[in-house]
């Protein structure tokens, strides 16, 4: 089996490549990063697919970032992600790739979806405004995979992970997601001896996070079963915590003894987002890494990035 992986330089892509190296045996992985091809360019993507002739495409590439960056660049997030997905999924259809796994996002679910969120909640209501451009693009990609399967008889499936974290995270001030941002900010406060760490929102919003390597290991092991999957499949850790709790865990890991200064005037997103992953569990999904253990690994990698940059 020859598998082409887009987004190979990202957090999930890096985890998939690492898992592949340990598990895939004689199968071949073709990692694709932005340095090799601009995935927004349909002609370049089609040329790549024609040259590599993969049996499966794992499409994990996307323009991602923190909530502040999404608020500042909504048109760019929508345009870039629609262009990427159209080129990759459309190119896969045109070149006859028989199987494709599209990595979508829970941001494609309605803002007021009942918790935990089942796959049938798609298209039942408006999206969260702060994440709407990104969510719309990921929703479009998920529907495109379903339509491709229906029209062309292909095994194109969508996986909808919860929020992910782990080595390979972006720790930039505007690009980091919650856990990476919490670890970076708490570390900076600890080093500076600051009395408190600023946290957007009031700390009560609840989020579900899954360790990226857990998801990667399961996806690599499950690629041969895509034909048996439903069109869209939620995959999450199965529990959630408040923003305050994630910052408290980060503080304990870093050794920071200062306080948390919440700013309710800043956007914090939906009050809760927890996925119903029962269908994935029936297919063998069982996350292994506790949030405390995973955050320790993530923090250790963050310290490595600081050392490498110095």
């Amino acid at each position: 089996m020859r598998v082409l992986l887009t987004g190979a330089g990202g957090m999930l892509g890096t985890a998939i490549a690492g898992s592949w190296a340990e598990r895939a045996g004689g199968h071949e992985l073709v990692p694709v990063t932005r340095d090799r091809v601009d995935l927004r360019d349909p002609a370049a993507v089609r040329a790549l697919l024609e040259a590599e002739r993969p049996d499966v495409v794992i499409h994990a590439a996307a323009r991602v970032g923190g909530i502040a960056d999404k608020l500042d660049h909504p048109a760019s997030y929508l345009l870039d992600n629609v262009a990427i997905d159209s080129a990759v999924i459309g190119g896969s259809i045109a070149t006859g790739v028989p199987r494709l796994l599209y990595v979508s996002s829970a941001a494609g679910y309605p803002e007021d979806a009942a918790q935990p969120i089942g796959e049938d909640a798609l298209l039942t209501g408006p999206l969260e405004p702060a994440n709407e451009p990104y969510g719309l693009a990921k929703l479009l990609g998920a529907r495109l995979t379903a339509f491709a399967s229906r029209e062309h008889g292909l095994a194109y499936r969508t996986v909808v992970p919860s929020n992910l974290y782990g080595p390979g995270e972006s720790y930039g001030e505007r690009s980091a997601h919650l856990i990476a941002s919490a670890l970076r900010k708490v570390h900076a406060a600890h080093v500076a001896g600051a009395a408190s760490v600023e946290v957007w929102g009031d700390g009560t919003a609840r989020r579900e996070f899954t360790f990226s390597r857990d998801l990667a290991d399961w996806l690599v092991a499950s690629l041969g079963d895509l034909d048996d999957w439903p069109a869209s499949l939620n995959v999450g850790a199965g529990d959630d915590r408040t923003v305050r709790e994630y910052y408290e865990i980060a503080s304990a890991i870093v050794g920071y003894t200062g306080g948390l200064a919440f700013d309710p005037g800043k956007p914090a997103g939906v009050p809760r987002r927890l996925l119903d992953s029962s269908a994935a569990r029936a297919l063998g999904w069982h996350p292994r890494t506790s949030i405390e253990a995973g955050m320790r690994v993530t923090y250790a990698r963050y310290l490595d990035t600081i050392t490498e940059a110095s």
Side-chain angles (χ1 to χ4, degrees):
M1 181 167 59
R2 185 172 173 84
V3 178
L4 186 142
L5 170 65
T6 70
M11 175 176 53
L12 180 58
T14 301
I16 289 173
S19 179
W20 190 275
E22 295 178 7
R23 294 167 174 259
H27 300 300
E28 183 179 1
L29 183 72
V30 180
V32 178
T33 66
R34 67 184 66 183
D35 294 332
R36 180 173 180 184
V37 63
D38 182 350
L39 294 178
R40 297 170 298 182
D41 182 342
V45 171
R46 180 157 181 170
L48 170 71
L49 292 166
E50 288 175 341
E52 297 295 349
R53 308 306 298 182
D55 301 300
V56 185
V57 168
I58 302 176
H59 180 28
R63 176 173 176 174
V64 297
I67 191 167
D69 198 48
K70 289 176 181 175
L71 287 169
D72 287 347
H73 304 101
S76 298
Y77 269 88
L78 181 58
L79 285 169
D80 283 351
N81 282 299
V82 167
I84 290 168
D85 291 346
S86 296
V88 173
I89 301 171
S92 296
I93 295 169
T95 57
V97 177
R99 292 177 176 80
L100 180 144
L101 179 60
Y102 174 62
V103 181
S104 187
S105 167
Y109 283 121
E111 179 181 23
D112 61 354
Q115 306 289 324
I117 305 170
E119 290 90 349
D120 58 357
L122 286 173
L123 297 170
T124 60
L127 306 181
E128 173 202 351
N131 267 312
E132 183 180 8
Y134 180 69
L136 278 173
K138 304 308 284 184
L139 177 58
L140 190 66
R143 297 308 297 152
L144 180 54
T145 61
F147 294 151
S149 292
R150 183 190 308 173
E151 181 175 346
H152 301 287
L154 301 165
Y156 284 19
R157 303 292 187 261
T158 294
V159 62
V160 184
S162 73
N163 295 302
L164 298 175
Y165 75 104
E169 283 252 34
S170 170
Y171 296 95
E173 185 173 350
R174 300 184 65 79
S175 58
H177 294 103
L178 172 58
I179 285 181
S181 181
L183 289 169
R184 174 182 54 79
K185 290 164 65 176
V186 169
H187 174 82
H190 179 60
V191 171
S196 63
V197 174
E198 181 190 31
V199 183
W200 282 25
D202 62 7
T204 63
R206 302 187 69 88
R207 293 292 181 268
E208 176 186 22
F209 275 89
T210 303
F211 192 56
S212 57
R213 184 57 188 262
D214 286 355
L215 177 60
D217 286 346
W218 188 68
L219 293 180
V220 169
S222 303
L223 274 184
D225 302 324
L226 285 184
D227 297 70
D228 301 325
W229 281 26
S232 184
L233 190 69
N234 289 343
V235 183
D239 58 6
D240 59 356
R241 299 179 187 238
T242 65
V243 170
R244 175 188 288 274
E245 288 176 294
Y246 287 117
Y247 270 86
E248 288 173 346
I249 295 169
S251 296
I253 290 170
V254 173
Y256 177 64
T257 57
L260 302 175
F262 295 97
D263 186 349
K266 295 288 179 63
V270 294
R272 190 183 190 196
R273 183 176 286 139
L274 176 65
L275 297 180
D276 178 353
S277 300
S278 55
R281 287 183 179 273
L283 292 170
W285 161 245
H286 295 291
R288 306 181 310 275
T289 307
S290 70
I291 191 68
E292 292 83 2
M295 285 181 67
R296 286 188 183 280
V297 172
T298 305
Y299 180 57
R301 180 54 189 148
Y302 173 60
L303 295 179
D304 289 342
T305 64
I306 296 174
T307 301
E308 290 164 2
S310 63

